[in-house]
């Protein structure tokens, strides 16, 4: 929950280059970290899978499931964090930058782990190397962590927007991989609350604080930790003073065709709808397995066979695309920052709820749909 609160501080859309945003979001929102979950929790494998946690524990032990209470209080926590950043940014910017860099390092190490496992498998045994109280790690885990640290250091030294986008994408994938929505009820509570949060802080915060709180926090660069360290240690004017200020990787940025300005998309606008997409993808595969076992409830008789074949995942994904396109057009028309969730939430939730009602699955999806069968059933985990 704490990581999601930090992500919530960046929920905003300033779309000045819509095509790049659409390509990036459609590629990374349905981040389907697929595992075959056979519910064999009695056996623990020593070798971690590609989607396992970085310290080798089982993925199931690392997944955080959001409940109704957390979904209701998440927008409140995000609002408090946003106000702290707005009023005390100068005091907490270095700490927040370091924490963001650490989280990005861990997230990108998780993202690089499958590739490193593939590269080290032919030439390195899977034995773990002990580092005392820090734990035991495989060669692939050490390699992925080293590459991630190198990437973060290069970003700190250069502040390049491509590296920042790469780190933001790693945060998106890690959030979607380790956070789960258990039901449609929790999904509606979470997205509706964040919709109100996004609209309020983009459209109405200026009337109270005389400034657009969301835009100011999202666009304000932070001091480079190397610059702060060189000033604290009095290392001289030429040591660590030429590093740029950092735009924190809580958003994706893309330069315009002229290079005079950037368009920005908060990673919360990717992660939160992405969690919904993962939920409906899990349900699609769960329902397919249930129907193959002759345990699925048939849809209403007036629903055509073609309608029954349309998956919830594709319906929600198309809704996300249309919502983002609408937000892009709205921001170009109004020439101002737009709360992306104002468009993404209705275009994803409403088609999903309508289709679930027509197919007769709404009641089952609403409350704990995956607990209705025995835990021995096998379905595709996302």
């Amino acid at each position: 929950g704490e990581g999601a609160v930090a992500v919530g501080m960046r929920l905003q859309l300033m779309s000045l280059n819509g095509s790049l945003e659409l390509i990036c979001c459609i590629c990374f929102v349905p981040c389907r970290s697929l595992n075959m979950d056979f519910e064999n929790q009695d056996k623990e494998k020593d070798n971690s899978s590609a989607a396992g946690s970085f310290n080798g524990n089982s993925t199931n032990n690392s997944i955080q499931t959001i409940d109704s209470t957390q979904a209701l209080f998440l927008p409140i926590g995000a609002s408090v964090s946003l106000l702290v950043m707005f009023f005390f940014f100068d005091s907490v910017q270095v700490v927040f930058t370091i924490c963001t860099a650490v989280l990005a390092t861990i997230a990108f190490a998780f993202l690089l782990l499958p590739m490193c496992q593939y590269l080290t498998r032919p030439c390195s045994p899977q034995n773990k190397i002990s580092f005392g109280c820090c734990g035991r790690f495989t060669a692939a885990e050490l390699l992925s962590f080293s590459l991630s640290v190198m990437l973060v250091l290069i970003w700190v030294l250069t502040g390049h927007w491509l590296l920042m986008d790469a780190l933001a994408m790693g945060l998106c994938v890690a959030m979607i991989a380790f956070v789960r929505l258990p039901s449609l009820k929790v999904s509606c509570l979470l997205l509706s609350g964040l919709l109100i949060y996004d609209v309020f802080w983009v459209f109405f915060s200026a009337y109270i604080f005389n400034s657009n709180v969301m835009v100011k926090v999202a666009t304000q660069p932070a001091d480079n930790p190397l610059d702060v360290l060189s000033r604290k240690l009095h290392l001289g004017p030429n040591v660590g003073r030429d590093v740029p200020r950092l735009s924190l990787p809580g958003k994706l940025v893309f330069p315009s065709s002229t290079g005079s300005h950037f368009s920005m998309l908060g990673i919360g606008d990717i992660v939160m709808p992405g969690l919904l997409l993962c939920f409906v993808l899990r349900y699609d595969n769960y329902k397919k397995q249930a129907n193959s076992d002759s345990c699925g409830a048939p849809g209403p008789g007036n629903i055509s066979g073609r309608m029954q074949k349309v998956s919830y995942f594709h319906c929600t994904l198309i809704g996300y695309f249309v919502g983002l396109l609408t937000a892009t057009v709205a921001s170009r028309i109004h020439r101002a920052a737009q709360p992306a969730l104002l468009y993404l939430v209705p275009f994803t939730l409403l088609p999903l709820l309508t289709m679930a009602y027509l197919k007769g699955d709404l009641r089952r999806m609403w409350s704990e749909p995956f607990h209705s069968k025995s835990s021995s059933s096998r379905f595709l985990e996302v």
Side-chain angles (χ1 to χ4, degrees):
E2 296 177 357
V5 170
V7 169
M9 294 187 295
R10 302 291 177 174
L11 296 175
Q12 58 100 19
L13 175 65
M14 297 174 63
S15 176
L16 299 171
N17 192 356
S19 58
L20 285 175
E21 292 177 352
L22 292 177
I23 293 172
C24 183
C25 292
I26 295 304
C27 288
F28 286 93
V29 168
C31 297
R32 297 182 286 178
S33 177
L34 299 178
N35 305 313
M36 289 304 297
D37 183 3
F38 298 112
E39 301 296 337
N40 292 328
Q41 297 182 356
D42 295 333
K43 296 182 180 180
E44 293 184 356
K45 296 183 178 180
D46 184 54
N47 296 328
S48 62
S49 63
S53 62
F54 186 71
N55 62 359
N57 292 332
S58 173
T59 303
N60 290 332
N61 295 331
S62 303
I63 290 177
Q64 173 67 40
T65 301
I66 299 178
D67 57 25
S68 300
T69 303
Q70 292 171 334
L72 288 174
F73 281 95
L74 180 59
I76 300 176
S79 299
V80 173
S81 301
L82 192 66
L83 287 175
V84 170
M85 291 294 294
F86 179 74
F87 287 111
F88 307 104
F89 184 81
D90 293 336
S91 302
V92 302
Q93 58 178 327
V94 176
V95 175
F96 190 76
T97 302
I98 295 174
C99 292
T100 304
V102 171
L103 289 175
T105 301
I106 298 173
F108 215 78
F110 162 76
L111 190 64
L112 293 174
L113 182 57
M115 181 190 71
C116 294
Q117 287 178 331
Y118 177 79
L119 293 176
T120 60
R121 187 175 300 157
C123 57
S124 175
Q126 296 300 314
N127 297 330
K128 294 186 177 182
I129 304 172
S130 177
F131 285 85
C133 61
C134 296
R136 300 170 66 245
F137 306 95
T138 63
E141 292 170 344
L142 294 176
L143 178 60
S144 66
F145 183 75
S146 300
L147 293 175
S148 180
V149 170
M150 185 182 304
L151 180 69
V152 172
L153 288 178
I154 295 175
W155 167 68
V156 171
L157 291 174
T158 63
H160 199 278
W161 65 271
L162 278 176
L163 295 175
M164 188 188 72
D165 283 358
L167 296 176
M169 292 172 188
L171 288 171
C172 288
V173 174
M175 284 292 296
I176 294 176
F178 289 105
V179 180
R180 177 182 298 169
L181 295 176
S183 65
L184 189 57
K185 173 185 175 181
V186 176
S187 303
C188 291
L189 288 174
L190 178 65
L191 291 175
S192 300
L194 290 175
L195 167 62
I196 298 173
Y197 158 87
D198 211 8
V199 170
F200 174 79
W201 290 111
V202 173
F203 285 154
F204 300 104
S205 60
Y207 296 103
I208 302 175
F209 303 97
N210 296 321
S211 177
N212 192 317
V213 176
M214 183 74 76
V215 173
K216 183 176 181 180
V217 170
T219 57
Q220 192 168 5
D223 288 339
N224 196 302
L226 296 181
D227 184 24
V228 176
L229 183 63
S230 66
R231 284 190 275 109
K232 292 292 184 181
L233 299 179
H234 306 286
L235 298 179
N238 296 325
V239 180
R241 298 299 178 89
D242 56 345
V243 291
R245 301 191 74 188
L246 298 176
S247 182
L248 301 181
K251 55 187 176 293
L252 299 178
V253 298
F254 307 97
S256 64
S257 57
T258 61
S260 59
H261 48 251
F262 284 82
S263 60
M264 290 184 285
L265 178 67
I267 64 175
D269 300 325
I270 301 175
V271 171
M272 299 308 167
L275 295 177
L276 178 65
L277 282 166
C278 287
F279 165 74
V280 296
L281 183 61
R282 290 174 62 214
Y283 185 80
D284 282 333
N285 288 277
Y286 179 83
K287 184 180 178 182
K288 184 184 298 184
Q289 179 66 37
N291 290 338
S292 66
D293 294 339
S294 300
C295 297
N302 59 345
I303 300 301
S304 63
R306 182 175 298 181
M307 178 70 174
Q308 287 289 348
K309 292 180 181 179
V310 177
S311 68
Y312 292 110
F313 174 77
H314 290 101
C315 173
T316 310
L317 182 61
I318 293 173
Y320 182 87
F321 177 85
V322 175
L324 186 60
L325 182 62
T326 305
T328 303
V329 173
S331 99
R332 286 184 178 274
I333 293 175
H334 297 287
R335 297 185 180 274
Q338 295 291 310
L341 293 180
L342 175 62
Y343 307 94
L344 296 177
V345 172
F347 277 101
T348 53
L349 276 183
L350 293 181
L352 174 60
L353 292 171
T354 303
M355 178 173 284
Y357 175 77
L358 294 176
K359 286 188 174 184
D361 293 330
L362 183 58
R363 184 183 299 273
R364 183 166 57 177
M365 293 178 67
W366 186 255
S367 178
E368 302 293 342
F370 306 115
H371 291 174
S372 58
K373 283 173 63 76
S374 173
S375 61
S376 62
S377 64
R378 299 166 59 173
F379 61 94
L380 187 63
E381 192 64 73
V382 181

